[in-house]
C-alpha cells in the first residue's frame, strides 16, 4: 500500500494523463470507500465470511488492482482510460487493503489465543510500520532503475505468494484460530 501512497499521483499523471487534483480526488474517494468498508466489516461482512475468506478476497482484489496498472500505453497516456485507474485504486484502497489488513490482525490475534498478546501485536505492528518505511524507498529504486510495471509485477507476485500460503495452510490457520 505504501508504494501506491508514494507513487500513485505521479503514476496517474504519467500513465493516465490525469492532473494532480483529479488523481488526488480519486484516491480520496476510494479511501473514503475503504473507511466505509471497514465499518461494514463488523456489521455485515464478518457475519458471512471468516478471516481466511476475507484475507483471500482481499489479496485477490489487491492483485487484480495492481495488475490493472500494467500493460498500459506508455507513449500515449491519453489512450489509457481514466476509469481503469479509478477501478484499480478502488480494488486496492477500498477492498483489498482495508479488508485484508483487518482480517490479518484478527486472525493473528486468534492464533495467539488467550496468551498475552500485547508484545506480539506490537511486533506485528512494528513489522508493518517498517515495511511502510522500506517499501517506498525500495519502490523508488525499482522504478528508477527498471520501470513501474516491474514494481507492479513484484508487488503482485509477493501478494500471490502470500495468497498461496494462506490457501495452502487454510485448514491449519482455521484450526489455530479456533482453539
Amino acid at each position: 500500500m505504501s508504494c501506491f501512497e508514494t507513487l500513485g499521483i505521479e503514476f496517474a499523471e504519467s500513465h493516465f494523463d490525469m492532473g494532480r487534483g483529479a488523481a488526488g480526488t480519486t484516491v480520496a474517494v476510494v479511501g473514503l470507500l475503504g473507511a466505509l468498508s471497514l465499518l461494514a466489516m463488523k456489521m455485515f461482512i464478518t457475519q458471512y465470511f471468516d478471516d481466511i475468506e476475507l484475507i483471500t478476497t482481499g489479496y485477490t482484489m489487491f492483485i487484480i488492482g495492481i495488475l490493472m496498472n500494467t500493460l498500459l500505453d506508455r507513449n500515449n497516456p491519453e489512450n489509457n482510460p481514466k476509469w481503469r485507474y479509478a477501478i484499480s485504486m478502488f480494488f486496492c484502497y477500498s477492498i483489498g487493503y482495508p479488508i485484508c489488513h483487518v482480517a490479518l490482525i484478527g486472525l493473528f490475534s486468534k492464533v495467539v489465543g488467550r496468551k498475552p498478546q500485547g508484545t506480539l501485536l506490537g511486533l506485528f505492528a512494528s513489522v508493518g510500520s517498517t515495511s511502510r518505511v522500506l517499501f517506498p524507498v525500495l519502490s523508488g529504486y525499482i522504478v528508477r532503475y527498471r520501470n513501474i510495471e516491474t514494481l507492479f509485477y513484484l508487488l503482485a507476485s509477493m501478494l500471490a505468494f502470500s495468497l498461496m500460503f494462506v490457501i495452502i495452510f487454510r485448514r491449519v490457520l482455521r484450526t489455530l484460530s479456533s482453539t
Side-chain angles (χ1 to χ4, degrees), residues 8-10 12-13 17-30 82 85:
I9 303 300
E10 181 184 332
E13 288 179 312
D17 201 30
M18 292 177 78
R20 286 189 174 272
T25 300
T26 301
V27 171
V29 168
V30 297
K82 292 172 179 48
Y85 176 77

Side-chain angles (χ1 to χ4, degrees), residues 41-137:
M41 290 229 11
K42 182 65 177 161
M43 298 196 294
F44 308 110
I45 298 172
T46 55
Q47 293 176 7
Y48 301 105
F49 304 102
D50 67 11
D51 290 330
I52 304 297
E53 294 165 333
L54 291 172
I55 292 167
T56 56
T57 300
Y59 279 151
T60 302
M61 293 298 117
F62 223 142
I63 292 167
I64 290 169
I66 290 170
L67 292 178
M68 284 182 71
N69 289 318
T70 60
L71 304 174
L72 298 171
D73 187 346
R74 284 193 254 167
N75 297 324
N76 300 305
E78 65 277 358
N79 292 339
N80 298 325
K82 292 172 179 48
W83 62 262
R84 189 168 168 178
Y85 176 77
I87 297 295
S88 167
M89 292 297 104
F90 174 78
F91 280 143
C92 294
Y93 278 98
S94 298
I95 301 173
Y97 179 75
I99 291 176
C100 193
H101 182 70
V102 170
L104 277 169
I105 292 171
L107 180 65
F108 184 81
S109 179
K110 288 174 187 172
V111 167
V112 172
R114 295 183 185 264
K115 300 175 204 117
Q117 296 183 9
T119 303
L120 291 174
L121 286 171
L123 290 171
F124 186 83
S126 295
V127 169
S129 296
T130 303
S131 70
R132 283 185 207 91
V133 171
L134 295 178
F135 270 91
V137 173

